[in-house]
Coordinates of all heavy atoms in Angstrom, one line a residue:
M22 N 15.9 -8.4 32.4 CA 14.7 -7.6 32.5 C 14.4 -6.9 31.2 O 15.3 -6.4 30.6 CB 14.8 -6.6 33.6 CG 13.6 -5.8 33.9 SD 13.8 -4.7 35.3 CE 12.2 -4.0 35.3
I23 N 13.1 -7.0 30.8 CA 12.7 -6.4 29.6 C 12.3 -4.8 29.8 O 11.5 -4.6 30.6 CB 11.4 -7.1 29.0 CG1 11.8 -8.5 28.7 CG2 10.9 -6.3 27.7 CD1 10.6 -9.4 28.3
E24 N 13.0 -4.0 29.1 CA 12.8 -2.5 29.3 C 11.7 -2.0 28.5 O 10.9 -1.1 28.9 CB 14.1 -1.8 28.9 CG 15.3 -2.1 29.8 CD 15.1 -1.7 31.2 OE1 14.5 -0.6 31.4 OE2 15.5 -2.3 32.2
N25 N 11.5 -2.5 27.2 CA 10.4 -2.0 26.4 C 10.2 -3.0 25.2 O 10.9 -4.0 25.1 CB 10.7 -0.5 25.8 CG 12.0 -0.6 25.1 OD1 12.3 -1.4 24.2 ND2 12.9 0.4 25.3
D26 N 9.2 -2.7 24.3 CA 8.9 -3.6 23.3 C 10.1 -3.7 22.3 O 10.1 -4.7 21.6 CB 7.6 -3.0 22.5 CG 6.4 -3.2 23.4 OD1 6.4 -4.0 24.3 OD2 5.4 -2.5 23.0
L27 N 10.9 -2.7 22.2 CA 12.0 -2.8 21.3 C 13.0 -4.0 21.6 O 13.7 -4.5 20.7 CB 12.8 -1.5 21.2 CG 12.0 -0.3 20.7 CD1 12.9 0.9 20.7 CD2 11.6 -0.6 19.3
D28 N 12.9 -4.5 22.8 CA 13.7 -5.7 23.1 C 13.3 -6.9 22.3 O 14.0 -7.9 22.3 CB 13.6 -5.9 24.6 CG 14.3 -4.8 25.4 OD1 15.2 -4.2 24.9 OD2 13.9 -4.7 26.6
F29 N 12.0 -6.9 21.8 CA 11.5 -8.0 21.0 C 11.7 -7.9 19.6 O 11.3 -8.7 18.8 CB 10.0 -8.2 21.3 CG 9.7 -8.7 22.7 CD1 9.1 -7.8 23.5 CD2 10.0 -9.9 23.1 CE1 8.8 -8.2 24.8 CE2 9.7 -10.3 24.4 CZ 9.1 -9.5 25.3
A30 N 12.3 -6.8 19.1 CA 12.4 -6.5 17.7 C 13.4 -7.5 17.0 O 14.4 -7.9 17.5 CB 13.1 -5.1 17.5
L31 N 12.9 -8.0 15.8 CA 13.7 -8.9 14.9 C 14.1 -8.1 13.7 O 13.5 -7.0 13.5 CB 12.9 -10.1 14.6 CG 12.4 -10.9 15.8 CD1 11.4 -12.0 15.2 CD2 13.4 -11.6 16.6
D32 N 14.9 -8.6 12.9 CA 15.2 -7.9 11.6 C 14.0 -8.2 10.7 O 13.2 -9.1 10.9 CB 16.5 -8.3 11.0 CG 16.6 -9.7 10.5 OD1 15.7 -10.1 9.7 OD2 17.5 -10.4 10.8
G33 N 13.9 -7.4 9.6 CA 12.7 -7.4 8.7 C 12.6 -8.8 8.0 O 11.4 -9.1 7.5
N34 N 13.6 -9.6 7.9 CA 13.5 -10.9 7.3 C 12.4 -11.8 8.0 O 11.8 -12.7 7.4 CB 14.8 -11.7 7.3 CG 15.8 -10.9 6.3 OD1 15.4 -10.6 5.2 ND2 17.0 -10.7 6.8
A35 N 12.3 -11.6 9.3 CA 11.3 -12.3 10.1 C 9.8 -12.1 9.6 O 9.0 -12.8 9.9 CB 11.5 -12.1 11.5
A36 N 9.6 -11.0 8.9 CA 8.3 -10.6 8.4 C 7.9 -11.1 7.1 O 6.9 -10.9 6.5 CB 8.1 -9.1 8.5
A37 N 8.9 -12.0 6.5 CA 8.7 -12.4 5.1 C 7.4 -13.1 4.9 O 6.7 -12.9 3.9 CB 9.9 -13.3 4.7
G38 N 7.0 -14.0 5.8 CA 5.8 -14.8 5.6 C 4.5 -13.9 5.6 O 3.7 -14.0 4.8
A39 N 4.5 -13.0 6.6 CA 3.3 -12.1 6.7 C 3.2 -11.2 5.5 O 2.1 -10.9 5.0 CB 3.4 -11.3 8.0
L40 N 4.3 -10.7 5.1 CA 4.3 -9.8 3.9 C 4.1 -10.4 2.6 O 3.4 -9.9 1.7 CB 5.6 -9.0 3.8 CG 5.9 -8.0 5.0 CD1 7.3 -7.3 4.9 CD2 4.8 -7.0 5.1
R41 N 4.4 -11.7 2.5 CA 4.1 -12.5 1.3 C 2.6 -12.6 1.1 O 2.1 -12.5 0.0 CB 4.7 -13.8 1.4 CG 4.6 -14.7 0.1 CD 5.2 -16.0 0.1 NE 6.7 -15.9 0.4 CZ 7.3 -16.4 1.5 NH1 6.6 -17.1 2.4 NH2 8.6 -16.2 1.7
E42 N 1.9 -12.7 2.2 CA 0.4 -12.8 2.1 C -0.2 -11.5 1.6 O -1.2 -11.5 0.9 CB -0.2 -13.2 3.4 CG 0.1 -14.6 3.9 CD -0.6 -14.9 5.2 OE1 -1.6 -14.4 5.5 OE2 0.0 -15.8 5.9
V43 N 0.4 -10.4 2.0 CA -0.1 -9.1 1.6 C 0.3 -8.8 0.0 O -0.6 -8.5 -0.8 CB 0.5 -7.9 2.4 CG1 0.1 -6.6 1.8 CG2 0.1 -8.1 3.8
F44 N 1.5 -9.1 -0.3 CA 1.9 -8.7 -1.6 C 1.5 -9.8 -2.7 O 1.6 -9.5 -3.9 CB 3.4 -8.4 -1.7 CG 3.7 -7.1 -1.0 CD1 4.2 -7.0 0.2 CD2 3.5 -5.9 -1.7 CE1 4.4 -5.8 0.8 CE2 3.8 -4.7 -1.1 CZ 4.2 -4.6 0.2
A45 N 1.1 -11.0 -2.3 CA 0.7 -12.0 -3.3 C -0.8 -11.9 -3.6 O -1.3 -12.5 -4.5 CB 1.1 -13.3 -2.8
A46 N -1.5 -11.1 -2.8 CA -3.0 -11.1 -2.9 C -3.4 -10.2 -4.1 O -2.6 -9.4 -4.6 CB -3.6 -10.4 -1.7
D47 N -4.6 -10.4 -4.6 CA -5.1 -9.5 -5.7 C -5.5 -8.2 -5.0 O -6.5 -8.1 -4.3 CB -6.4 -10.2 -6.3 CG -7.1 -9.3 -7.3 OD1 -6.5 -8.2 -7.6 OD2 -8.1 -9.6 -7.8
V48 N -4.7 -7.3 -5.2 CA -4.8 -6.0 -4.5 C -6.0 -5.2 -5.0 O -6.5 -4.3 -4.2 CB -3.5 -5.1 -4.6 CG1 -3.4 -4.5 -6.0 CG2 -3.5 -4.1 -3.5
T49 N -6.6 -5.5 -6.1 CA -7.8 -4.7 -6.5 C -9.0 -5.0 -5.6 O -9.9 -4.2 -5.5 CB -8.1 -5.1 -8.0 OG1 -8.5 -6.4 -8.1 CG2 -7.0 -4.7 -8.9
T50 N -9.0 -6.1 -4.9 CA -10.1 -6.4 -4.0 C -9.8 -5.9 -2.6 O -10.7 -5.9 -1.7 CB -10.3 -7.9 -3.9 OG1 -9.2 -8.6 -3.4 CG2 -10.7 -8.5 -5.3
A51 N -8.6 -5.4 -2.3 CA -8.3 -4.9 -1.0 C -9.0 -3.6 -0.8 O -9.3 -2.9 -1.8 CB -6.8 -4.7 -0.9
H52 N -9.2 -3.2 0.4 CA -9.9 -1.9 0.8 C -8.8 -1.0 1.2 O -7.9 -1.3 2.0 CB -10.9 -2.1 1.9 CG -12.2 -2.7 1.3 ND1 -12.3 -4.1 1.4 CD2 -13.2 -2.1 0.8 CE1 -13.5 -4.3 0.9 NE2 -14.1 -3.2 0.5
I53 N -8.9 0.3 0.6 CA -7.9 1.3 0.9 C -8.6 2.5 1.4 O -9.7 2.8 1.0 CB -7.1 1.6 -0.4 CG1 -5.9 2.4 -0.2 CG2 -8.0 2.2 -1.5 CD1 -4.9 2.5 -1.3
Q54 N -7.9 3.2 2.3 CA -8.5 4.4 2.9 C -7.7 5.6 2.5 O -6.5 5.7 2.6 CB -8.6 4.3 4.4 CG -9.3 5.6 5.1 CD -9.5 5.4 6.6 OE1 -8.8 4.7 7.2 NE2 -10.4 6.2 7.0
C55 N -8.4 6.6 2.0 CA -7.8 7.8 1.5 C -7.3 8.7 2.8 O -8.1 8.9 3.7 CB -8.8 8.6 0.7 SG -8.2 10.2 0.2
D56 N -6.1 9.1 2.8 CA -5.6 9.9 4.0 C -6.2 11.3 3.9 O -6.4 11.9 4.9 CB -4.1 9.9 3.9 CG -3.6 10.4 5.2 OD1 -4.0 10.0 6.3 OD2 -2.7 11.3 5.2
A57 N -6.6 11.8 2.7 CA -7.1 13.2 2.6 C -8.5 13.3 3.0 O -8.8 14.3 3.7 CB -6.9 13.6 1.1
C58 N -9.4 12.4 2.6 CA -10.8 12.6 2.9 C -11.4 11.5 3.8 O -12.5 11.6 4.2 CB -11.6 12.7 1.6 SG -11.8 11.1 0.7
G59 N -10.6 10.4 4.0 CA -11.1 9.3 4.9 C -12.0 8.3 4.2 O -12.3 7.3 4.9
S60 N -12.3 8.4 3.0 CA -13.2 7.5 2.3 C -12.5 6.2 2.2 O -11.3 6.1 2.0 CB -13.8 8.0 1.0 OG -12.7 8.0 0.1
V61 N -13.3 5.1 2.2 CA -12.8 3.7 2.1 C -13.5 3.0 0.9 O -14.6 3.2 0.7 CB -13.0 2.9 3.4 CG1 -12.5 1.5 3.2 CG2 -12.4 3.6 4.5
G62 N -12.7 2.4 0.1 CA -13.2 1.6 -1.0 C -12.2 0.6 -1.5 O -11.1 0.6 -1.2
A63 N -12.7 -0.2 -2.4 CA -11.8 -1.3 -3.0 C -10.9 -0.6 -3.9 O -11.2 0.5 -4.6 CB -12.6 -2.2 -3.8
V64 N -9.6 -1.1 -4.0 CA -8.6 -0.5 -4.8 C -9.2 -0.5 -6.3 O -8.9 0.4 -7.1 CB -7.3 -1.3 -4.7 CG1 -6.3 -0.9 -5.8 CG2 -6.7 -1.1 -3.3
G65 N -9.9 -1.5 -6.7 CA -10.5 -1.6 -8.0 C -11.5 -0.5 -8.3 O -11.8 -0.3 -9.5
S66 N -12.0 0.2 -7.3 CA -12.9 1.3 -7.5 C -12.3 2.7 -7.7 O -12.9 3.7 -8.0 CB -14.0 1.4 -6.3 OG -13.3 1.9 -5.2
L67 N -10.9 2.7 -7.5 CA -10.2 4.0 -7.6 C -10.1 4.4 -9.1 O -10.3 3.5 -10.0 CB -8.8 3.9 -7.0 CG -8.7 3.5 -5.6 CD1 -7.3 3.3 -5.1 CD2 -9.4 4.5 -4.7
R68 N -9.8 5.6 -9.3 CA -9.6 6.1 -10.7 C -8.2 5.8 -11.1 O -7.2 6.2 -10.5 CB -9.9 7.6 -10.8 CG -11.3 8.0 -10.5 CD -11.4 9.5 -10.7 NE -12.7 9.9 -10.1 CZ -13.0 11.1 -9.8 NH1 -12.1 12.1 -10.0 NH2 -14.1 11.5 -9.3
Y69 N -8.1 5.1 -12.3 CA -6.8 4.7 -12.7 C -6.3 5.6 -13.8 O -7.0 5.8 -14.9 CB -6.9 3.2 -13.2 CG -5.8 2.7 -14.0 CD1 -4.5 2.9 -13.6 CD2 -6.0 1.9 -15.1 CE1 -3.4 2.4 -14.3 CE2 -4.9 1.4 -15.9 CZ -3.6 1.6 -15.4 OH -2.6 1.2 -16.1
Y70 N -5.1 6.1 -13.7 CA -4.5 6.9 -14.7 C -3.2 6.2 -15.2 O -2.3 6.1 -14.4 CB -4.1 8.3 -14.2 CG -5.3 9.1 -13.9 CD1 -5.9 9.0 -12.5 CD2 -6.0 10.0 -14.7 CE1 -7.1 9.7 -12.2 CE2 -7.1 10.7 -14.4 CZ -7.6 10.6 -13.1 OH -8.7 11.3 -12.8
A71 N -3.2 5.7 -16.4 CA -2.1 5.0 -16.9 C -1.1 6.0 -17.4 O -1.3 6.9 -18.2 CB -2.5 4.1 -18.1
A72 N 0.1 6.0 -16.7 CA 1.2 6.8 -17.0 C 2.2 6.0 -17.9 O 2.2 4.8 -17.8 CB 1.8 7.4 -15.8
P73 N 3.1 6.7 -18.6 CA 4.0 6.0 -19.4 C 4.9 5.0 -18.6 O 5.3 4.0 -19.0 CB 4.9 7.1 -20.0 CG 4.0 8.3 -20.0 CD 3.1 8.2 -18.8
M74 N 5.2 5.4 -17.4 CA 6.1 4.5 -16.6 C 5.4 3.6 -15.6 O 6.0 2.7 -15.0 CB 7.1 5.4 -15.8 CG 8.2 6.0 -16.6 SD 9.3 7.0 -15.7 CE 10.1 5.7 -14.7
G75 N 4.1 3.8 -15.4 CA 3.4 3.0 -14.5 C 2.0 3.4 -14.2 O 1.2 3.8 -15.2
V76 N 1.5 3.4 -13.0 CA 0.1 3.4 -12.6 C 0.0 4.6 -11.6 O 0.8 4.7 -10.7 CB -0.3 2.1 -11.9 CG1 -1.7 2.3 -11.3 CG2 -0.3 1.0 -12.9
V77 N -1.0 5.4 -11.7 CA -1.4 6.3 -10.7 C -2.9 6.0 -10.4 O -3.7 6.0 -11.3 CB -1.3 7.8 -11.2 CG1 -1.9 8.7 -10.2 CG2 0.2 8.1 -11.5
L78 N -3.2 5.8 -9.1 CA -4.6 5.6 -8.7 C -5.0 6.7 -7.8 O -4.4 7.1 -6.8 CB -4.7 4.3 -7.9 CG -4.5 3.0 -8.7 CD1 -4.5 1.8 -7.8 CD2 -5.5 2.8 -9.8
R79 N -6.1 7.3 -8.1 CA -6.7 8.5 -7.4 C -8.0 8.1 -6.7 O -8.8 7.2 -7.1 CB -7.0 9.7 -8.3 CG -5.7 10.3 -8.8 CD -6.1 11.5 -9.7 NE -4.9 12.2 -10.1 CZ -4.4 13.3 -9.5 NH1 -5.0 13.7 -8.4 NH2 -3.4 13.9 -10.0
C80 N -8.2 8.7 -5.5 CA -9.4 8.6 -4.7 C -10.7 8.9 -5.7 O -10.7 9.9 -6.3 CB -9.4 9.5 -3.5 SG -10.9 9.4 -2.5
S81 N -11.7 8.0 -5.6 CA -12.9 8.3 -6.4 C -13.8 9.3 -5.7 O -14.7 9.8 -6.4 CB -13.7 7.0 -6.7 OG -13.9 6.4 -5.4
N82 N -13.5 9.7 -4.5 CA -14.3 10.7 -3.8 C -13.6 12.1 -3.9 O -14.3 13.1 -4.2 CB -14.4 10.3 -2.4 CG -15.3 11.3 -1.6 OD1 -16.4 11.5 -2.0 ND2 -14.9 11.8 -0.5
C83 N -12.3 12.2 -3.7 CA -11.7 13.6 -3.7 C -10.5 13.7 -4.7 O -10.0 14.8 -4.8 CB -11.2 13.9 -2.3 SG -9.7 13.0 -1.8
A84 N -10.2 12.7 -5.4 CA -9.2 12.7 -6.5 C -7.7 12.9 -6.0 O -6.8 13.0 -6.7 CB -9.5 13.8 -7.5
A85 N -7.6 12.7 -4.7 CA -6.2 12.7 -4.2 C -5.5 11.4 -4.7 O -6.1 10.4 -4.9 CB -6.2 12.6 -2.6
I86 N -4.2 11.5 -4.9 CA -3.4 10.3 -5.3 C -3.2 9.4 -4.2 O -2.6 9.8 -3.1 CB -2.1 10.8 -5.9 CG1 -2.3 11.6 -7.2 CG2 -1.2 9.6 -6.2 CD1 -1.1 12.3 -7.8
L87 N -3.6 8.2 -4.3 CA -3.4 7.2 -3.2 C -2.3 6.3 -3.5 O -1.6 5.8 -2.5 CB -4.7 6.4 -3.0 CG -6.0 7.1 -2.7 CD1 -7.1 6.1 -2.4 CD2 -5.8 8.0 -1.5
L88 N -2.0 6.0 -4.7 CA -1.0 5.0 -5.0 C -0.3 5.3 -6.3 O -1.0 5.7 -7.3 CB -1.7 3.6 -5.1 CG -0.8 2.4 -5.3 CD1 -1.5 1.2 -4.7 CD2 -0.5 2.1 -6.7
R89 N 1.0 5.2 -6.3 CA 1.8 5.3 -7.6 C 2.6 4.0 -7.6 O 3.3 3.6 -6.6 CB 2.7 6.4 -7.6 CG 2.1 7.8 -7.6 CD 3.1 8.9 -7.7 NE 2.6 10.2 -7.7 CZ 2.4 11.0 -6.6 NH1 2.9 10.5 -5.4 NH2 1.9 12.2 -6.7
A90 N 2.6 3.3 -8.8 CA 3.4 2.1 -9.0 C 4.2 2.3 -10.3 O 3.6 2.7 -11.3 CB 2.5 0.9 -9.0
V91 N 5.5 2.2 -10.2 CA 6.4 2.4 -11.4 C 7.3 1.3 -11.5 O 7.8 0.7 -10.5 CB 7.1 3.7 -11.2 CG1 8.1 4.0 -12.4 CG2 6.2 4.9 -11.1
Q92 N 7.5 0.9 -12.8 CA 8.5 -0.2 -13.1 C 9.7 0.5 -13.9 O 9.5 1.2 -14.8 CB 7.9 -1.3 -13.9 CG 8.9 -2.4 -14.2 CD 8.3 -3.5 -15.0 OE1 7.1 -3.5 -15.3 NE2 9.1 -4.6 -15.2
T93 N 10.9 0.3 -13.3 CA 12.1 0.8 -13.9 C 13.1 -0.3 -14.1 O 12.9 -1.4 -13.6 CB 12.8 1.9 -13.0 OG1 13.3 1.3 -11.9 CG2 11.7 3.0 -12.6
P94 N 14.1 -0.1 -14.9 CA 15.2 -1.1 -15.0 C 15.7 -1.5 -13.6 O 16.3 -2.6 -13.5 CB 16.3 -0.5 -15.8 CG 15.5 0.6 -16.6 CD 14.4 1.1 -15.7
H95 N 15.6 -0.7 -12.6 CA 16.1 -1.0 -11.3 C 15.1 -1.8 -10.4 O 15.4 -2.1 -9.3 CB 16.6 0.3 -10.6 CG 17.5 1.0 -11.3 ND1 18.9 0.6 -11.5 CD2 17.5 2.2 -12.1 CE1 19.5 1.4 -12.2 NE2 18.7 2.4 -12.6
G96 N 13.8 -1.9 -10.9 CA 12.9 -2.6 -10.1 C 11.5 -2.0 -10.1 O 11.2 -1.0 -10.8
H97 N 10.6 -2.5 -9.2 CA 9.3 -2.0 -9.1 C 9.3 -1.1 -7.8 O 9.8 -1.4 -6.8 CB 8.3 -3.1 -8.8 CG 8.1 -4.1 -10.0 ND1 7.3 -3.9 -11.0 CD2 8.8 -5.2 -10.3 CE1 7.4 -4.8 -11.9 NE2 8.3 -5.7 -11.5
W98 N 8.6 0.0 -8.1 CA 8.5 1.1 -7.0 C 7.0 1.3 -6.6 O 6.2 1.4 -7.5 CB 9.1 2.4 -7.4 CG 10.6 2.2 -7.8 CD1 11.1 1.8 -9.0 CD2 11.7 2.5 -7.0 NE1 12.4 1.8 -9.0 CE2 12.8 2.3 -7.7 CE3 11.9 3.0 -5.7 CZ2 14.2 2.4 -7.2 CZ3 13.1 3.2 -5.2 CH2 14.2 2.9 -6.0
L99 N 6.7 1.3 -5.4 CA 5.4 1.5 -4.9 C 5.5 2.7 -3.9 O 6.2 2.6 -2.9 CB 4.9 0.3 -4.3 CG 3.5 0.3 -3.7 CD1 2.4 0.6 -4.7 CD2 3.2 -1.0 -2.9
E100 N 4.6 3.6 -4.1 CA 4.5 4.8 -3.2 C 3.0 5.0 -2.8 O 2.1 4.9 -3.7 CB 5.0 6.1 -3.8 CG 5.1 7.3 -2.9 CD 3.8 8.1 -3.1 OE1 3.5 8.6 -4.2 OE2 3.1 8.2 -2.1
M101 N 2.7 5.0 -1.5 CA 1.3 5.0 -1.1 C 1.1 6.1 0.1 O 0.4 5.9 0.9 CB 0.9 3.6 -0.5 CG 0.9 2.5 -1.6 SD 0.4 1.0 -0.8 CE -1.2 1.3 -0.3
R102 N 1.9 7.2 -0.1 CA 1.7 8.2 1.0 C 0.3 8.8 1.1 O 0.0 9.3 2.1 CB 2.8 9.3 0.8 CG 2.5 10.3 -0.3 CD 3.6 11.3 -0.3 NE 4.7 10.7 -1.0 CZ 5.8 11.4 -1.3 NH1 5.9 12.7 -1.1 NH2 6.8 10.9 -2.0
G103 N -0.5 8.7 0.1 CA -1.9 9.2 0.1 C -2.8 8.3 0.7 O -4.0 8.7 0.9
A104 N -2.4 7.1 1.1 CA -3.3 6.1 1.7 C -3.1 6.0 3.2 O -1.9 6.0 3.6 CB -3.1 4.7 1.0
R105 N -4.1 6.0 4.0 CA -4.0 5.9 5.4 C -3.7 4.4 5.7 O -2.9 4.1 6.6 CB -5.3 6.3 6.1 CG -5.1 6.5 7.6 CD -6.3 7.1 8.1 NE -6.6 8.5 7.5 CZ -7.7 9.2 7.7 NH1 -8.7 8.7 8.4 NH2 -7.8 10.4 7.1
R106 N -4.5 3.5 5.0 CA -4.2 2.1 5.3 C -4.8 1.2 4.2 O -5.6 1.7 3.4 CB -4.9 1.6 6.6 CG -6.4 1.7 6.6 CD -6.9 1.2 8.0 NE -6.5 2.0 9.1 CZ -7.1 3.0 9.7 NH1 -8.3 3.3 9.2 NH2 -6.7 3.6 10.7
L107 N -4.3 0.0 4.0 CA -4.8 -0.9 3.0 C -5.1 -2.2 3.8 O -4.4 -2.7 4.6 CB -3.6 -1.2 2.1 CG -3.9 -2.2 1.0 CD1 -4.8 -1.6 -0.1 CD2 -2.6 -2.7 0.3
R108 N -6.3 -2.7 3.5 CA -6.8 -4.0 4.2 C -7.0 -5.0 3.2 O -7.8 -4.9 2.3 CB -8.1 -3.8 5.0 CG -8.5 -5.1 5.7 CD -9.8 -4.8 6.6 NE -10.9 -4.4 5.7 CZ -11.7 -5.3 5.1 NH1 -11.5 -6.6 5.1 NH2 -12.7 -4.9 4.4
V109 N -6.2 -6.1 3.3 CA -6.3 -7.2 2.4 C -7.1 -8.3 3.2 O -6.6 -8.7 4.3 CB -4.9 -7.8 2.0 CG1 -5.1 -9.0 1.1 CG2 -4.1 -6.6 1.3
A110 N -8.2 -8.7 2.6 CA -9.0 -9.8 3.3 C -8.3 -11.1 3.3 O -7.6 -11.4 2.4 CB -10.3 -9.9 2.6
P111 N -8.5 -11.9 4.3 CA -7.9 -13.2 4.3 C -8.4 -14.1 3.2 O -9.6 -13.9 2.8 CB -8.3 -13.8 5.7 CG -9.5 -13.0 6.2 CD -9.4 -11.7 5.5
T112 N -7.6 -14.9 2.7 CA -8.0 -15.8 1.6 C -8.4 -17.2 2.1 O -8.1 -17.6 3.2 CB -6.8 -16.0 0.6 OG1 -5.7 -16.5 1.2 CG2 -6.6 -14.7 -0.1
Ligands
ZN259 ZN1 -10.2 11.0 -0.9

């Protein structure tokens, strides 16, 4: 008997195909929603601040930080706590 949805859970490797479609897309055309003010726009319309270690993208409406991307010797780091959601259109 199935007790709840967790009974259908797989490990994260099963999501590889779906995530590949998200991370291989041109993210500048994706739509992102600001968690602070709720505005929605293309990632390419955000304000870009080039930092020595990477990228900071701010909301073009309220200037909240939506995305930080940093490259270090240990890998690429992506932080999007200021974004409510990201929508990548199907190709
Ligand atoms: Zn905003």
Side-chain angles (χ1 to χ4, degrees):
M22 180 174 185
I23 299 171
E24 296 294 326
N25 57 48
D26 289 343
L27 295 177
D28 292 336
F29 293 109
L31 304 171
D32 70 50
N34 291 312
L40 293 176
R41 185 177 303 118
E42 291 182 26
V43 172
F44 286 100
D47 175 6
V48 75
T49 60
T50 62
H52 284 92
I53 191 166
Q54 183 171 23
C55 176
D56 194 46
C58 75
S60 69
V61 177
V64 171
S66 71
L67 300 177
R68 294 184 196 161
Y69 169 45
Y70 295 86
M74 289 181 62
V76 170
V77 175
L78 292 175
R79 289 182 174 267
C80 177
S81 56
N82 186 52
C83 75
I86 295 174
L87 300 187
L88 184 152
R89 292 181 182 99
V91 175
Q92 182 177 359
T93 73
H95 302 288
H97 296 273
W98 300 82
L99 177 63
E100 184 266 299
M101 296 182 59
R102 76 178 77 172
R105 191 172 301 167
R106 65 178 60 98
L107 180 75
R108 181 177 63 83
V109 177
T112 54

